[in-house]
Amino acid sequence: MEQSPHPTPEIAAHWDDAYDQGDTSRSWYQPQADVSLRLLGSVGVSPADAIVDVGGGASTLVDGLLDAGFTNVTVLDVSAAGMGIAQALLGERATYVHWLLADALTWRAPAPFRVWHDRAVLHFMTTAEQRDDYRAAMLAATAPGSTIILGTFGPAGPTSCSGLPVHRAGPEEMVEYLGDDFDVQRWLIEPHETPGGAAQQFLWTVALRV
């Protein structure tokens, strides 16, 4: 597992503690990353394309990508505990994934990715400075022709998650946030059913780096 740069200790500790309480019982858990895989399939990504799953942690997206034959997958997260869960579930297949322990706000990719995927990280960026830093990292990790797929809480989504406040956004705000560097191709609002049976509204945004 690569570590670059070291995540902020307080943030890493918060998410390590959250994962230590059991991934499958947490509100974010989904057995299959169906929406993410469907959106990836809609943007013409090939199995050899470089994909980074920002905040991937214990997400099952990596399972689906490996099952589909993808060979250049990076999982970035601040939580070693979260990635440890995913690695244990993958077993020997974990060696086919690049695991990166880092803070998305300060990390800078050494080369652009074909796809930047994020389900449920951006909405934890609640200040203008955090959202600006996130956008800067996203720009540094992509190039013209790259695709970004962002899953964030929609206007009717929760106001907090995992003990932290969140930033909810609608399609118009996301278009404004992404600005002239990205051309929004599509968006959709879909509910995520938590393990406890509650419904969380997610806004999914697919955009092309121009």
Side-chain angles (χ1 to χ4, degrees):
M1 183 187 299
E2 184 182 344
Q3 187 169 299
S4 173
H6 193 281
T8 304
E10 294 81 4
I11 298 173
H14 175 89
W15 290 109
D16 282 345
D17 180 66
Y19 278 111
D20 284 343
Q21 296 176 44
D23 176 56
T24 58
S25 65
R26 306 297 304 206
S27 63
W28 63 69
Y29 179 73
Q30 52 180 356
Q32 292 87 32
D34 294 331
V35 178
S36 297
L37 291 169
R38 188 168 79 240
L39 291 176
L40 282 165
S42 73
V43 297
V45 181
S46 71
D49 285 330
I51 298 175
V52 60
D53 185 17
V54 179
S59 169
T60 55
L61 174 61
V62 66
D63 306 62
L65 291 173
L66 292 179
D67 288 345
F70 283 84
T71 58
N72 194 352
V73 179
T74 296
V75 175
L76 181 150
D77 205 282
V78 297
S79 173
M83 289 194 290
I85 292 172
Q87 291 166 342
L89 290 173
L90 286 171
E92 291 184 359
R93 294 206 301 167
T95 60
Y96 301 125
V97 179
H98 180 207
W99 304 93
L100 180 58
L101 187 64
D103 186 335
L105 298 188
T106 56
W107 169 72
R108 291 296 180 266
F113 289 87
R114 170 67 176 81
V115 177
W116 171 287
H117 173 273
D118 164 15
R119 174 184 179 264
V121 172
L122 177 56
H123 59 219
F124 286 107
M125 307 299 112
T126 57
T127 69
E129 181 180 8
Q130 288 174 329
R131 293 177 73 80
D132 287 347
D133 287 345
Y134 180 99
R135 190 175 183 279
M138 189 164 56
L139 283 169
T142 55
S146 296
T147 296
I148 63 166
I149 298 175
L150 303 174
T152 61
F153 285 144
T159 57
S160 64
C161 181
S162 301
L164 297 173
V166 298
H167 180 96
R168 301 180 295 178
E172 296 80 6
E173 182 179 340
M174 288 301 297
V175 170
E176 182 179 358
Y177 171 67
L178 293 173
D180 295 337
D181 296 297
F182 297 94
D183 179 24
V184 174
Q185 305 287 293
R186 63 179 298 198
W187 58 266
L188 67 153
I189 290 179
E190 291 213 9
H192 160 64
E193 184 175 342
T194 71
Q200 296 179 333
Q201 185 193 68
F202 266 77
L203 168 69
W204 288 89
T205 305
V206 180
L208 185 69
R209 173 79 189 276
V210 297

